[in-house]
Amino acid sequence: MKKILFPLKTGKEIEALKAGDEIKLYGDIYVARDAAHKKLVKDISNKKKSPFPLKNNLIYYMGPTPAPKGKIIGSCGPTTSIRMDVYTPILLQKGIKATMGKGGRGREIIDACKKYRAIYLITYGGCGAYLSQFVKKFKCIAYGELSPESIYKLEIEGFPAIVAIDTKGNTLYNR
Amino acid sequence: MRKISYKKIIGEVEDLVVKVSRYIPDDVRQHIRRAYLSEPQGLGKKYLSIILENLNTAEKDKLPICQDTGLAVFFVEAGPDVVIETGRYKTLEDIINEGLRRGSIKGHLRSSVVSPVERKNTKTNSPGVVHLIPSNKGVFRVGLIAKGFGSENTSKIAMLNPTDGKKAVEDFILDTIKLADALPCPPIFIGAGIGGSFEKAALLSKLALCNIGQKSEHRRWEKELLKKINLLNIGPAGLSGKNTALDIRIETAPTHIAGLPVAINISCWAHRYGKIEL
């Protein structure tokens, strides 16, 4: 199984991946869901600085449960990606190379992945307890007032994912 | 007269909230296990195996099964002779919500409740939705269904033509599931509410989800529909396959001569439901 380290070094590392490939993720990724996307894209449109580097990074659509004592993070599975579709193309244009969530996406995201040589990944929906074991560090880095919809930084090790849209615009969902 | 103290209700609801977030009912687990065995090799089967592993991890590590711990919907059944000692609380709804608030802290549930337009988070994971249902003498039960909104968002209601009949009801159910596709975390459970008024059909569809696995007067129709749904080839996580739905339950009520309301409430595989009886 292919291992991918984030942030990507050049962005080329993901170009050989094909829709349907199972991969394991390592490194640092950023977490943002609905409310954070709305705020982030508004900030970017107003020429404000993004609270995290967008270039060669991954955004994971997720809102965790609070960590019980002694745990790094609570349950942390993916949320439905299609709700973020309206915000995704501009983020890909600004350098984001991968997004991760669950479920299919609209045509415009397939086109945007092709255009910006980005990928869309899915991970196991509803399996937040299982996925928590691949998270090694967890930190809120922005929009704390949106808790649990803040922007978080995760350090992950072997986090499982499946390529659902590849950089050529092939997709796992052919319906 | 049967007196029930608010303290008792709060404590029991608190524990129910925690339990429902961590453990799915045995019959739901059986459904998933059967789906895993029947699904052909591939990504869908692997997803089902990880679902089973996730259920074990949630139990072992005392974590919610899913980070979307849902919007809590309570069905409170109370007999005519039941009197609630409310203490400092104004209503039974307040008492139930206090149990939800405490359970959410105890079980480390996510604060998923916000004001609808301003989107201000209440930070307590409450209030939930509380339905009061008149019941028989002596009865006091609290049912809780904690549904995530990935599946709730794919639910639909239609006011069909009265002369449309069974075929139109089936088409609406199948179209709703096709449109939902991978979004509600299939394999799904389906609650269908047919008849009544606009809101009655919706309420019945959620009650139908709570009643999955119980004896149904529409079992033959449910089985026919389940077959048709599983031919849609949406499959686990929408990755194609045999298991699109694990079960469907239909509840009906008499309706008006001019209408045929049909509501479809979809639940993800993590169908979290529980009930307490005091």
Side-chain angles (χ1 to χ4, degrees):
Chain A
M1 209 177 293
K2 200 144 195 193
K3 295 174 178 179
I4 306 283
L5 177 72
F6 278 93
L8 300 175
K9 278 214 173 76
T10 64
K12 301 252 183 262
E13 301 96 308
I14 56 171
E15 292 191 0
L17 295 175
K18 288 190 189 70
D21 284 355
E22 290 181 82
I23 58 175
K24 283 190 188 298
L25 305 174
Y26 291 80
D28 294 336
I29 64 169
Y30 295 92
V31 172
R33 49 171 293 147
D34 306 70
H37 269 77
K38 191 173 177 180
K39 195 166 158 64
L40 178 63
V41 168
K42 196 176 162 198
D43 281 358
I44 291 172
S45 307
N46 290 336
K47 309 259 185 276
K48 275 196 201 164
K49 200 171 170 260
S50 164
F52 65 95
L54 301 176
K55 195 173 159 55
N56 290 338
N57 267 306
L58 180 151
I59 295 180
Y60 179 26
Y61 306 140
M62 190 271 284
T65 61
K69 217 175 165 192
K71 294 237 183 294
I72 295 165
I73 194 170
S75 208
C76 56
T79 194
T80 308
S81 308
I82 203 165
R83 295 195 311 271
M84 263 52 78
D85 275 14
V86 59
Y87 303 110
T88 303
I90 185 168
L91 295 171
L92 299 186
Q93 190 199 340
K94 297 281 179 195
I96 289 291
K97 278 290 180 186
T99 54
M100 177 162 69
K102 71 177 176 80
R105 306 201 69 166
R107 184 73 236 175
E108 64 276 27
I109 303 306
I110 297 170
D111 294 343
C113 281
K114 212 168 148 182
K115 186 171 174 189
Y116 301 113
R117 295 182 176 272
I119 50 172
Y120 165 56
L121 305 171
I122 55 169
T123 188
Y124 302 110
C127 299
Y130 170 81
L131 291 171
S132 70
Q133 58 193 320
F134 304 102
V135 176
K136 301 304 161 192
K137 276 184 195 161
F138 167 67
K139 195 184 165 195
C140 175
I141 59 150
Y143 307 164
E145 73 281 7
L146 295 180
S147 165
E149 294 194 83
S150 311
I151 295 182
Y152 304 99
K153 186 177 181 177
L154 300 186
E155 187 184 317
I156 52 173
E157 224 176 86
F159 197 98
I162 302 165
V163 180
I165 303 173
D166 62 29
T167 55
K168 314 277 183 313
N170 300 307
T171 167
L172 194 52
Y173 301 102
N174 275 321
R175 283 186 289 272
Chain B
M1 195 168 72
R2 241 202 101 186
K3 274 194 186 170
I4 303 177
S5 134
Y6 70 92
K7 283 185 192 152
K8 178 90 180 146
I9 299 172
I10 290 174
E12 295 278 343
V13 168
E14 179 180 342
D15 290 345
L16 180 66
V17 166
V18 178
K19 188 176 156 219
V20 162
S21 75
R22 287 183 198 163
Y23 314 96
I24 55 169
D26 284 342
D27 59 325
V28 173
R29 195 186 284 254
Q30 287 305 326
H31 272 297
I32 297 167
R33 210 169 268 147
R34 271 199 296 271
Y36 167 72
L37 292 174
S38 69
E39 192 63 40
Q41 279 304 330
L43 288 173
K45 192 181 184 80
K46 179 159 183 194
Y47 178 44
L48 291 165
S49 77
I50 293 201
I51 287 174
L52 290 167
E53 198 174 333
N54 182 62
L55 294 175
N56 294 336
T57 310
E59 274 193 44
K60 183 171 63 72
D61 290 356
K62 298 190 165 66
L63 286 173
I65 292 167
C66 175
Q67 74 292 333
D68 187 351
T69 48
L71 178 65
V73 175
F74 295 94
F75 288 101
V76 182
E77 301 167 69
D81 57 331
V82 171
V83 173
I84 311 291
E85 291 174 357
T86 53
R88 63 189 168 89
Y89 298 94
K90 283 200 184 97
T91 64
L92 177 57
E93 202 173 348
D94 291 347
I95 293 168
I96 300 281
N97 279 321
E98 179 60 16
L100 170 61
R101 190 186 70 81
R102 291 189 194 183
S104 300
I105 295 169
K106 193 179 188 177
H108 305 281
L109 271 62
R110 190 175 73 184
S111 295
S112 305
V113 181
V114 292
S115 61
V117 182
E118 296 82 6
R119 313 302 294 179
K120 194 172 161 34
N121 200 305
T122 65
K123 309 230 165 147
T124 58
N125 198 38
S126 63
V129 176
V130 181
H131 298 291
L132 192 57
I133 301 175
S135 186
N136 297 334
K137 216 174 155 186
V139 167
F140 188 80
R141 295 189 201 107
V142 181
L144 163 61
I145 177 164
K147 274 182 87 272
F149 254 54
S151 60
E152 192 76 352
N153 282 339
T154 60
S155 303
K156 284 204 183 309
I157 188 160
M159 304 304 278
L160 299 178
N161 265 325
T163 52
D164 282 351
K166 191 175 171 183
K167 169 84 168 52
V169 173
E170 289 198 359
D171 285 349
F172 178 61
I173 295 174
L174 291 168
D175 287 346
T176 302
I177 294 164
K178 260 191 252 176
L179 197 65
D181 199 69
L183 305 185
C185 280
I188 55 175
F189 290 92
I190 301 131
I194 306 172
S197 49
F198 181 78
E199 86 290 355
K200 177 76 176 181
L203 195 60
L204 283 176
S205 70
K206 183 138 283 152
L207 269 172
L209 279 177
C210 300
N211 291 338
I212 270 176
Q214 290 178 37
K215 202 170 176 331
S216 166
E217 55 175 314
H218 305 290
R219 197 56 194 153
R220 182 188 266 179
W221 192 16
E222 288 163 0
K223 281 188 169 169
E224 282 170 22
L225 268 165
L226 194 58
K227 253 191 201 154
K228 289 181 186 172
I229 293 163
N230 281 324
L231 287 173
L232 294 174
N233 193 29
I234 293 170
L239 299 167
S240 302
K242 282 173 73 172
N243 293 283
T244 296
L246 298 173
D247 207 356
I248 178 168
R249 164 95 184 189
I250 296 168
E251 299 282 347
T252 56
T255 189
H256 191 275
I257 48 172
L260 175 49
V262 183
I264 314 299
N265 200 195
I266 294 180
S267 168
C268 59
W269 59 260
H271 180 37
R272 287 153 287 172
Y273 176 72
K275 201 183 236 184
I276 46 172
E277 179 144 18
L278 301 185

